[in-house]
Amino acid sequence: MQSEKIDQIKAEIAAANAGNPDELEAYRMRFISKKSVVGALFAEMRHIPNEQKKAYGQLVNEVKQLAEEKFQALIQQVDSGGREKEYQGVDLTLPPTTWPVGGIHPLTATRQRIVEIFERIGFNLSEGPEIEDDWHNFTALNFPENHPAREMQDTFFIEKNPDIALRTHTSSVQVRVMENEQPPIRTLSPGRVFRNEAISARAHCIFHQVEGLYVDENVSFANLKQTLYHFAKEMFGKNTQVRFRPSFFPFTEPSAEIDISCQLCGGKGCNICKGTGWVEIGGSGMVDPNVLENCGIDSEKYTGFAFGMGIERIAMLKYQINDLRLFTENDIRFLQQFRGLL
Ligand code: DAH
């Protein structure tokens, strides 16, 4: 009687199936839990005559083991069935989505390109401090005592000390290099500069310049022109025209502003170049003999040329950016346009 019942339960376990968590739970209730049919078989033990208890116990334990093995198998079945459903309709042969990667900031890319162009024609790199003294930023560069750049309106002074300021141009690095080295000198100094200006689309109180200096015997204005022609064509393309406009800087004589043909209209005249066909990229000139002497270089023996250009200005012309503030706002939509620049 009991063994018939046990055989029936065994057959039931063998035939059991579970296609989802609910069916799995129903199986657990029927064959595993305390109140299951297997539990009931254990409860029967009390009514079994003593001499049959051992054999009965063995049979029931077998059933219990069968029920548990089957339960584990059904768990596996439900699990993998679930995962298959989860991935239904997913094309596993597609390439994975990539993580978003950052890019080089357009100003960094522009600076690197400028450096690369000058390094190839023999310029090395030099640096100077952003907090400068009056000598390196002004006096050694031949600025007269009452020059407006020395006023608080134009320059950030540190703690009202008139001797220490944030450098207003990278020309201060020229002085440091010439004080420490004798010609031949061919050096390029990119860096940050600071001026007391209200921030607008066209002006900022922090921006970047790159300074160039070449001092040797027999350096002439022709060398300066040729060097900057080469730079403009490498930077902006071989059809770019360069023009030098007479100008004045305390530290160069003669001095010239450097213009290039407008990148937008190709020189025909548009609103970027204000109809002239030309845009300014920096200043230049022959190093004033006073400056050479201030730095301990014999101005009878050596001559030199220097130039200073705005890196923002060059980036704006190259990538047609019309607002200086975009460089520092870190708007991801702006920056993403320059991904893969280098
Ligand atoms: N320092 C000048 C400025 O910030 C730019 C400049 C002009 C640099 C002429 C030079 C130069 O080296 O020769 O406006």
Side-chain angles (χ1 to χ4, degrees):
M1 168 64 199
Q2 284 300 341
S3 69
E4 250 174 51
K5 199 167 163 191
I6 288 175
D7 286 345
Q8 198 192 325
I9 294 175
K10 276 184 171 172
E12 243 189 276
I13 290 173
N17 222 327
N20 58 46
D22 287 345
E23 287 170 12
L24 188 65
E25 178 58 9
Y27 175 92
R28 194 187 68 81
M29 291 299 286
R30 178 145 179 80
F31 299 107
I32 306 287
S33 73
K34 280 248 158 52
K35 291 181 183 153
S36 66
V37 287
V38 181
L41 290 178
F42 278 105
E44 275 299 300
M45 189 67 110
R46 318 181 260 142
H47 307 299
I48 303 293
N50 273 348
E51 66 278 11
Q52 289 175 24
K53 269 196 193 342
K54 192 174 168 207
Y56 179 79
Q58 259 174 9
L59 276 178
V60 177
N61 270 321
E62 258 173 48
V63 179
K64 184 182 175 206
Q65 205 183 332
L66 274 179
E68 273 173 2
E69 280 169 11
K70 181 73 184 219
F71 187 48
Q72 292 307 321
L74 291 179
I75 290 176
Q76 296 261 321
Q77 194 176 311
V78 169
D79 250 19
S80 59
R83 248 180 245 145
E84 260 163 37
K85 263 191 213 128
E86 203 178 303
Y87 290 126
Q88 246 169 33
V90 175
D91 183 351
L92 296 175
T93 64
L94 283 175
T97 29
T98 51
W99 292 103
V101 288
I104 305 267
H105 191 282
L107 279 183
T108 309
T110 306
R111 190 194 61 208
Q112 285 181 7
R113 180 72 189 123
I114 297 170
V115 167
E116 187 181 85
I117 293 169
F118 282 102
E119 271 182 343
R120 284 198 189 150
I121 53 171
F123 281 71
N124 65 13
L125 276 185
S126 49
E127 286 193 315
E130 292 179 346
I131 300 172
E132 218 10 313
D133 54 34
D134 177 279
W135 170 257
H136 292 96
N137 198 75
F138 297 124
T139 304
L141 288 165
N142 217 23
F143 277 77
E145 202 59 39
N146 55 352
H147 193 281
R150 292 178 183 248
E151 298 293 318
M152 301 270 280
Q153 301 92 281
D154 291 309
T155 301
F156 291 116
F157 288 91
I158 305 282
E159 289 174 358
K160 303 204 168 47
N161 179 345
D163 192 44
I164 308 289
L166 298 181
R167 69 178 175 197
T168 59
H169 52 185
T170 43
S171 302
S172 55
V173 187
Q174 282 189 33
V175 177
R176 289 185 175 271
V177 171
M178 287 192 283
E179 281 175 340
N180 290 313
E181 286 169 40
Q182 281 297 309
I185 294 171
R186 255 175 294 177
T187 194
L188 195 74
S189 328
R192 263 198 314 190
V193 300
F194 308 84
R195 284 188 203 171
N196 198 352
E197 305 238 19
I199 296 172
S200 71
R202 306 177 59 90
H204 207 294
C205 54
I206 302 177
F207 55 100
H208 298 78
Q209 287 186 335
V210 55
E211 191 80 11
L213 175 71
Y214 190 158
V215 186
D216 202 349
E217 288 179 43
N218 303 319
V219 174
S220 69
F221 203 93
N223 299 138
L224 167 63
K225 283 171 76 175
Q226 203 52 48
T227 303
L228 290 172
Y229 284 156
H230 171 76
F231 166 74
K233 287 175 197 294
E234 287 289 308
M235 188 77 207
F236 296 103
K238 63 179 185 327
N239 293 326
T240 308
Q241 302 293 307
V242 181
R243 138 180 125 165
F244 288 83
R245 238 176 334 109
S247 185
F248 174 80
F249 301 101
F251 37 93
T252 44
E253 182 56 40
S255 305
E257 235 126 347
I258 316 155
D259 292 349
I260 61 164
S261 50
C262 180
Q263 297 302 295
L264 210 70
C265 62
K268 287 190 201 73
C270 67
N271 62 349
I272 294 287
C273 58
K274 298 193 205 86
T276 64
W278 296 96
V279 284
E280 185 201 318
I281 59 168
S284 65
M286 299 305 293
V287 182
D288 192 301
N290 285 344
V291 176
L292 294 175
E293 291 296 333
N294 284 341
C295 301
I297 288 178
D298 183 352
S299 64
E300 297 289 327
K301 186 168 178 202
Y302 297 111
T303 50
F305 69 72
F307 57 87
M309 300 185 288
I311 299 183
E312 277 82 353
R313 181 115 189 116
I314 290 172
M316 287 169 94
L317 293 170
K318 186 155 174 76
Y319 303 117
Q320 279 151 30
I321 299 165
N322 59 9
D323 192 326
L324 204 48
R325 291 167 292 197
L326 287 164
F327 289 121
T328 41
E329 278 168 352
N330 281 339
D331 185 329
I332 200 78
R333 293 166 303 177
F334 171 73
L335 296 174
Q336 269 173 347
Q337 300 176 91
F338 301 94
R339 233 192 290 171
L341 257 194
L342 279 185

